Amino acid sequence: VLLLNPGPVTLSERVRRSLLQPDLCHRESEFFDLQDEARTRLLSTYSLDSSQWTAVLMTASGTAAVESMVAALVPKNGRLLIVENGVYGERIALICAQYGIDHERIVGDWLRAPDWDAIAAKLENQPKDAGFTHVAVVHHETTTGRLNDLHALLKLCRDHGAGLLVDAVSSFGAETIDFDDPALSAVAATANKCLHGVPGAAFVIVRRSALKNAASRTYYLDLGRLARLQDERNTPFTPAVHAYYALVEALREYADQGARHARYEHYAALAERVRAGLAALGIDALLPAEQSSVVLRAYRLPPGKTYAQLHDALKAEGFVIYAGQGNLSKTLFRISTMGDITSTDIDCLLQCFARLLG
Ligand SMILES: *Cc1c(COP(=O)(O)O)cnc(C)c1O
């Protein structure tokens, strides 16, 4: 089957074969070579300077990377403003509630871009010396396929002296992220979305200066400790060695295929092929292309078909699509273009849709 859900993704044979490498003790130098290569290659996806940025690995899913980032980088007496327009923004608020982190939510309509004026007003109207130290946002809100405008938010953060924490779990490796902006503090992501690794390895790309004031609210996911030990070619716990094998091989393949710009262009071509093909069958995209990521798009269910009917019929043909989340499950379906997918695969998918609806 071909996975068109937003992670885990369809693997290339090269990455799948990398899982068959020799057994490895995580206290041997070979493991630390692997860890070093993963960290170096993660920084090079966005050409980051290793004296300013560090890639901190953890054995976990993407949510844990977001949790680790938020739990460490909002300092003890810090305050976080969460920009929400979907399930993953909501999740950041739930993480804050869990840890007792002082936070406020600015909840927008899930079908709209964040209200920049409202966010600016919120950042402005704070008591002196008790304003928001940080802002958090989901870059690509996988709930709807919307790409939130980091550039606009970074400017607001810069104007108000706040650091930005980004859930880039479903955009890292494909979409543009403005790492040059001094307001960007950290970005959380995972191996098994745009990088085409397997589930089990996640990471935070963090500005080294932001780690200086890091809080230590969690034991396993303590970002400061993970960063310190990894810099010393060490690890606190047993990592998912095979997931690291796959991540490194996926990053080598990514570089060989032309790195980030090539991946972006590949996804963009696939996403447009899906959009145009479904439009020809009368199926509308939820959002205009210019507001969407190239990674995943949401579409309106065709009249007279439930999601379950559509899903089951496509699965029987070898394609796994994805439901809408929450209330959107009755009206939407989603198609991701991450993973080892070709334009021929998309043409087959569209032929299935045509047969189903025809
Ligand atoms: C997939 C995803 C996550 C986290 O997913 P896990 O299931 O924990 O790997 C978080 N944020 C966004 C935007 C995502 O798309």
Side-chain angles (χ1 to χ4, degrees):
V1 295
L2 210 65
L3 300 182
L4 302 173
N5 51 289
V9 298
T10 300
L11 299 179
S12 70
E13 275 313 300
R14 177 171 171 182
V15 171
R16 193 188 313 284
R17 273 200 307 271
S18 74
L19 295 168
L20 299 174
Q21 290 175 82
D23 299 335
L24 194 53
C25 168
H26 67 291
R27 298 285 169 207
E28 294 296 325
S29 66
E30 291 86 350
F31 173 75
F32 296 115
D33 293 345
L34 187 71
Q35 179 170 270
D36 285 349
E37 183 173 347
R39 299 180 73 211
T40 304
R41 286 187 179 273
L42 285 170
L43 291 185
S44 59
T45 54
Y46 285 84
S47 308
L48 302 180
D49 174 356
S50 61
S51 67
Q52 284 199 50
W53 294 92
T54 178
V56 185
L57 284 162
M58 55 199 79
T59 286
S61 83
T63 302
V66 176
E67 182 165 336
S68 173
M69 170 177 77
V70 170
L73 298 183
V74 182
K76 233 186 170 134
N77 299 313
R79 279 181 80 209
L80 181 68
L81 179 66
I82 304 164
V83 177
E84 264 183 61
N85 56 352
V87 166
Y88 295 100
E90 232 170 47
R91 189 173 290 180
I92 298 175
L94 292 171
I95 290 169
C96 286
Q98 185 83 37
Y99 286 99
I101 294 170
D102 189 1
H103 68 285
E104 253 186 75
R105 306 160 61 189
I106 190 143
V107 183
D109 188 317
W110 284 12
L111 299 187
R112 286 173 187 268
D115 179 346
W116 304 118
D117 292 338
I119 295 163
K122 188 64 138 181
L123 288 168
E124 230 135 74
N125 297 324
Q126 294 302 316
K128 236 190 160 33
D129 302 323
F132 292 101
T133 55
H134 292 81
V135 175
V137 72
V138 178
H139 185 204
H140 169 220
E141 192 34 279
T142 320
T143 312
T144 55
R146 176 180 296 283
L147 196 65
N148 284 320
D149 183 355
L150 288 188
H151 205 71
L153 190 53
L154 280 164
K155 179 173 186 321
L156 292 178
C157 289
R158 226 182 311 129
D159 291 349
H160 294 91
L164 185 64
L165 310 179
V166 180
D167 170 345
V169 174
S170 63
S171 57
F172 186 92
E175 300 283 356
T176 301
I177 299 173
D178 195 356
F179 281 97
D180 288 337
D181 196 302
L184 185 62
S185 296
V187 162
T190 184
N192 66 284
K193 293 205 183 185
C194 304
L195 297 179
H196 301 181
V198 305
F203 55 91
V204 179
I205 309 286
V206 55
R207 210 179 266 283
R208 287 188 180 276
S209 59
L211 279 173
K212 291 208 181 82
N213 302 321
S216 180
R217 293 183 174 93
T218 140
Y219 183 72
Y220 184 78
L221 296 174
D222 186 330
L223 192 68
R225 176 176 53 183
L226 289 167
R228 196 174 59 250
L229 289 178
Q230 288 173 23
D231 276 349
E232 296 167 358
R233 280 173 64 85
N234 198 343
T235 176
F237 315 108
T238 310
V241 175
H242 290 77
Y244 285 35
Y245 271 145
L247 173 59
V248 164
E249 201 57 40
L251 288 165
R252 291 175 185 163
E253 184 178 58
Y254 175 91
D256 291 347
Q257 289 174 343
R260 186 161 54 84
H261 297 286
R263 183 134 309 170
Y264 177 91
E265 292 302 334
H266 178 61
Y267 285 178
L270 295 180
E272 173 54 22
R273 207 173 187 93
V274 176
R275 187 205 62 75
L278 291 180
L281 297 169
I283 297 177
D284 295 327
L286 177 70
L287 303 177
E290 66 276 10
Q291 294 177 23
S292 307
S293 74
V294 296
V295 173
L296 170 142
R297 303 267 168 99
Y299 295 92
R300 296 190 188 280
L301 284 168
K305 283 252 186 287
T306 64
Y307 174 75
Q309 288 168 337
L310 189 65
H311 167 271
D312 294 356
L314 289 168
K315 190 172 177 187
E317 303 277 353
F319 296 101
V320 174
I321 61 165
Y322 214 52
Q325 278 157 305
N327 277 340
L328 299 175
S329 65
K330 291 189 183 66
T331 52
L332 294 186
F333 65 97
R334 291 178 289 172
I335 293 193
S336 152
T337 37
M338 290 182 279
D340 191 35
I341 294 171
T342 64
S343 53
T344 312
D345 296 327
I346 299 298
D347 291 344
C348 292
L349 172 76
L350 291 168
Q351 283 158 18
C352 287
F353 265 98
R355 276 202 303 279
L356 265 169
L357 302 175

